[in-house]
Amino acid sequence: MPRPILATVHTAALQQNLARVRQSVPDARVWAVVKANAYGHGIERVFEGLRGADGFALLDLAEAERVRRLGWRGPILLLEGVFEPRDLELCSRLDLWHAVHCDEQIDMLAAHKTQLPQRVFLKMNSGMNRLGFTPERYRSAWTRLNALPQVDEISLMTHFSDADGPRGIAYQEEAFLRATADLPGERSLANSAATLRHAERARIKSDWVRPGIVLYGSAPDFPEHSAADWGLQPTMTLSSKLLAVQSLQAGDSVGYGSRFVAEQPLRVGVAACGYADGYSRLCDTGTPVLVNGVRTRLLGRVSMDMLMLDLTPLEHAGVPFGFGSEVTLWGRSSQGTTLPIDEVARAAGTVGYELMCAVAPRVNFGVDESSTAG
Ligand SMILES: *Cc1c(COP(=O)(O)O)cnc(C)c1O
């Protein structure tokens, strides 16, 4: 028997979240962002749920090959473009579109021998200061690209730093619009947060939106909004089982460093999930967890293979528990209750993105293909 920890990917929830994006920006085409192995879900496991997208966006050529192997003939975009000249050969062979964010990538294209010109997305650094040409240098990059026989259509792209927060997108959007006003080509601006929070503008200004995290059912702007507020469904459930139940007296402690000390008699569940499964050790006493669908809390320090839970709420609710009881670390319990990954992430001082991406290779994965996300 493998350890009982299991990550389940919910196909219907992926479909529903994609539909939610389309509702927000009905006229835009949607890149389903599946970088980082589909935010830790597994590209092959999300493909069925996301095949209704207009294209797949990712970073790794190996991941692009996997999408093609699944039979996808539509657009694939390399969000960081190519890393070395021979990547361009793979772009030709697999028909990949690629971002161009620096002069070195234009040099590679200029030196590339190809039969078929390639479709590129020219990236502007409109204020994020990560990748892209500044607005001042953007036009000369466009002109240079446009003169190359290796280049087919040029699309225009930028990325927002603050779509999820108070600064918003206006400062970058204005820089982008000013610098691209008379350039032809399709536009791609909005990530998840911009697609939901700035839908009015994303709708007008984007031919392509690039949502990632919302497809995976996490709110881009938690805790201002929850996933439920945005009508998103959790696409991954991390579940396990109780391996043991301990009975503590007042004054007894739990786990490494005796970090939690019982103030009164207490029943403690020991779950088969630890930081070596990707569950953050930064989660401390109080982090929410479900046991048999009932919400309770983590106690003490997360260890490598186990973590401990307070069973008091189950006793109060009269819900039986014991060896083998279901533990839901995030996602949906068998009883139908949900624990948003964003709440767990917040307890660890991070975001849902990091938790989903961190699920460890030793965790078994499954796909739930049932047709309802509820
Ligand atoms: C990761 C990424 C996205 C998706 O971001 P989310 O916040 O997950 O929606 C969009 N565009 C680019 C360039 C990215 O790197």
Side-chain angles (χ1 to χ4, degrees):
M1 269 290 280
R3 289 169 69 241
I5 186 159
L6 178 68
T8 306
V9 174
H10 305 289
T11 301
L14 290 158
Q15 289 164 340
Q16 142 110 32
N17 296 340
L18 176 59
R20 177 65 187 80
V21 166
R22 291 216 185 271
Q23 182 196 341
S24 191
V25 286
D27 299 323
R29 271 163 293 161
V30 177
W31 290 114
V33 179
V34 294
K35 62 188 177 186
N37 200 21
Y39 290 48
H41 290 60
I43 286 178
E44 290 75 11
R45 286 183 285 264
V46 300
F47 184 67
E48 187 56 36
L50 297 180
R51 67 188 307 158
D54 300 291
F56 289 93
L58 39 71
L59 309 180
D60 259 307
L61 283 121
E63 290 187 341
E65 276 185 300
R66 283 162 62 193
V67 175
R68 284 284 180 247
R69 230 176 286 136
L70 287 162
W72 177 255
R73 289 156 176 264
I76 297 178
L77 174 64
L78 298 176
L79 288 166
E80 293 178 355
V82 297
F83 304 98
E84 55 178 337
R86 66 169 180 195
D87 293 347
L88 289 169
E89 289 159 30
L90 212 55
C91 289
S92 292
R93 186 150 61 74
L94 297 174
D95 189 16
L96 309 180
W97 303 358
H98 48 102
V100 171
H101 66 78
C102 63
D103 288 310
E104 291 80 356
Q105 290 176 325
I106 304 182
D107 296 340
M108 288 185 226
L109 267 166
H112 180 55
K113 295 189 183 15
T114 182
Q115 317 290 315
L116 289 174
Q118 303 192 350
R119 168 98 180 243
V120 296
F121 277 62
L122 181 60
K123 180 125 180 207
M124 183 187 295
N125 169 15
S126 56
M128 174 97 166
N129 289 313
R130 200 173 59 174
L131 295 181
F133 294 91
T134 58
E136 298 71 42
R137 298 215 39 240
Y138 195 74
R139 180 168 306 263
S140 64
W142 187 91
T143 305
R144 212 185 142 204
L145 272 179
N146 194 44
L148 293 180
Q150 290 89 346
V151 172
D152 179 23
E153 214 177 307
I154 305 173
S155 300
L156 316 179
M157 148 185 202
T158 195
H159 192 60
F160 295 130
S161 62
D162 286 69
D164 57 333
R167 193 175 182 193
I169 65 172
Y171 87 104
Q172 287 179 276
E173 195 187 28
E174 281 155 22
F176 179 84
L177 294 177
R178 225 178 299 122
T180 59
D182 56 351
L183 289 178
E186 294 185 338
R187 267 83 171 148
S188 178
L189 290 86
N191 59 0
S192 289
T195 301
L196 293 188
R197 287 172 66 94
H198 306 283
E200 287 301 326
R201 313 168 77 127
R203 216 174 277 163
I204 301 164
K205 308 284 167 47
S206 255
D207 298 295
W208 291 88
V209 293
R210 304 188 306 271
I213 196 68
V214 294
L215 297 177
Y216 306 102
S218 171
D221 56 356
F222 186 82
E224 189 184 335
H225 295 99
S226 68
D229 290 341
W230 286 123
L232 302 169
Q233 302 274 344
T235 59
M236 182 198 283
T237 294
L238 185 65
S239 63
S240 189
K241 289 182 178 171
L242 290 186
L243 299 177
V245 174
Q246 306 295 343
S247 297
L248 272 59
Q249 299 305 314
D252 288 347
S253 65
V254 175
Y256 286 120
S258 302
R259 202 168 161 79
F260 175 82
V261 178
E263 284 172 3
Q264 64 243 337
L266 192 70
R267 306 269 279 163
V268 171
V270 182
C273 175
Y275 61 78
D277 298 301
Y279 190 91
S280 178
R281 188 173 173 279
L282 298 174
C283 292
D284 206 341
T285 297
T287 302
V289 188
L290 307 179
V291 180
N292 285 342
V294 177
R295 190 175 170 116
T296 180
R297 59 177 182 147
L298 186 76
L299 297 178
R301 196 159 270 165
V302 174
S303 19
M304 182 182 281
D305 312 306
M306 285 173 271
L307 51 78
M308 279 70 97
L309 308 162
D310 183 357
L311 294 171
T312 310
L314 283 86
E315 292 186 300
H316 286 169
V319 173
F321 55 80
F323 179 90
S325 288
E326 180 187 88
V327 177
T328 308
L329 288 319
W330 59 70
R332 190 178 299 283
S333 72
S334 307
Q335 290 74 22
T337 48
T338 59
L339 175 55
I341 194 169
D342 296 323
E343 291 188 34
V344 183
R346 188 167 165 78
T350 185
V351 286
Y353 299 76
E354 187 175 5
L355 295 189
M356 9 179 125
C357 291
V359 174
R362 79 173 187 181
V363 173
N364 292 302
F365 271 84
V367 179
D368 157 27
E369 287 173 341
S370 64
S371 60
T372 53

